[in-house]
Amino acid sequence: MSTALKIRPECAVDIAFIIEEDGTRYHAYCPQLKGLHIDGGNEREAFNRAIQAAEIYLLSLSRHGETVASDVRVEVPEGAIVRTVTLEWPLLRTSGIS
């Protein structure tokens, strides 16, 4: 299975997270947001922490005038869980930058 990032016209972004068991913990990452890797004590905690990290990541991209890559495809490892969320794309007018 492969997944891709979708940018929605109403200033929102669909982001897919891959969550894998990692020993006694869980590892969540988002291939569309390079370098975003988070762990948690269980699947839900890893996912929730990954969402928070993605919101900060998107805000940073917006503040630096950068965009999100929309053509990233990734193969999902066997046994991994894929969760997708829709996050608001931070607009410059709401981020304190004029």
Side-chain angles (χ1 to χ4, degrees), residues 5 44 80 92:
L5 178 80
R44 184 169 194 76
L92 291 179

Tab-separated table of all heavy atoms in Angstrom, residues 5 44 80 92:
chain	number	residue	atom	x	y	z
A	5	LEU	N	0.428	12.567	0.306
A	5	LEU	CA	-0.095	13.754	0.960
A	5	LEU	C	-1.056	14.466	0.019
A	5	LEU	O	-0.787	14.570	-1.172
A	5	LEU	CB	1.077	14.676	1.290
A	5	LEU	CG	0.739	15.996	1.949
A	5	LEU	CD1	0.508	15.757	3.432
A	5	LEU	CD2	1.886	16.943	1.769
A	44	ARG	N	-1.936	4.984	20.540
A	44	ARG	CA	-2.685	6.246	20.626
A	44	ARG	C	-1.787	7.405	21.036
A	44	ARG	O	-1.871	8.497	20.478
A	44	ARG	CB	-3.849	6.086	21.600
A	44	ARG	CG	-4.733	7.299	21.670
A	44	ARG	CD	-6.010	6.975	22.447
A	44	ARG	NE	-7.016	7.972	22.290
A	44	ARG	CZ	-7.779	8.166	21.238
A	44	ARG	NH1	-7.623	7.401	20.186
A	44	ARG	NH2	-8.696	9.097	21.199
A	80	ALA	N	2.376	-2.423	9.880
A	80	ALA	CA	2.266	-1.044	10.336
A	80	ALA	C	0.823	-0.567	10.217
A	80	ALA	O	0.037	-1.091	9.433
A	80	ALA	CB	3.179	-0.135	9.523
A	92	LEU	N	-0.419	32.749	6.788
A	92	LEU	CA	0.469	33.788	7.270
A	92	LEU	C	-0.285	34.854	8.067
A	92	LEU	O	0.246	35.386	9.029
A	92	LEU	CB	1.221	34.431	6.105
A	92	LEU	CG	2.254	33.537	5.418
A	92	LEU	CD1	2.898	34.283	4.260
A	92	LEU	CD2	3.317	33.075	6.392
